[in-house]
Amino acid sequence: DGLPTFRYRIGDVEVEERITRTADKRGLLRRFVLRGAPAGLQLTFSGTGKMAYRSSDGIFTGQIFTPNKDKASAFTVLMQEGN
């Protein structure tokens, strides 16, 4: 499909991130695969306050995401404009 997969490290954690548009083209899907992530890992998603984040693979508390235990190494986050 010609879309890039970003590969980077955060400390000892290897991250693969792929960004695609939603089918309705109103948001972005960010798919993450993590290797070497510690138990209880949390990620902070920053933005201007105009972005809404959702995921069925974990819980958002504000902009802090905690993946479900069974999804800690691979999850998807939806980003859409919203309040």
Side-chain angles (χ1 to χ4, degrees):
D1 61 8
L3 296 172
T5 298
F6 299 95
R7 292 179 173 90
Y8 52 94
R9 293 180 77 85
I10 300 173
D12 293 331
V13 180
E14 294 179 29
V15 180
E16 287 186 15
E17 180 181 356
R18 186 171 179 87
I19 302 171
T20 58
R21 291 181 86 173
T22 57
D24 65 6
K25 299 184 179 174
R26 298 181 68 202
L28 297 175
L29 291 171
R30 296 175 66 183
R31 292 181 174 92
F32 293 88
V33 175
L34 307 180
R35 291 180 186 82
L41 176 79
Q42 294 183 314
L43 299 165
T44 301
F45 288 82
S46 60
T48 63
K50 295 181 182 179
M51 296 304 296
Y53 298 95
R54 292 189 254 322
S55 178
S56 61
D57 297 333
I59 297 171
F60 271 96
T61 305
Q63 292 179 311
I64 298 173
F65 177 69
T66 305
N68 296 332
K69 288 183 182 182
D70 63 333
K71 296 287 187 173
S73 63
F75 53 87
T76 300
V77 172
L78 169 66
M79 291 175 49
Q80 287 183 307
E81 282 191 79
N83 294 346

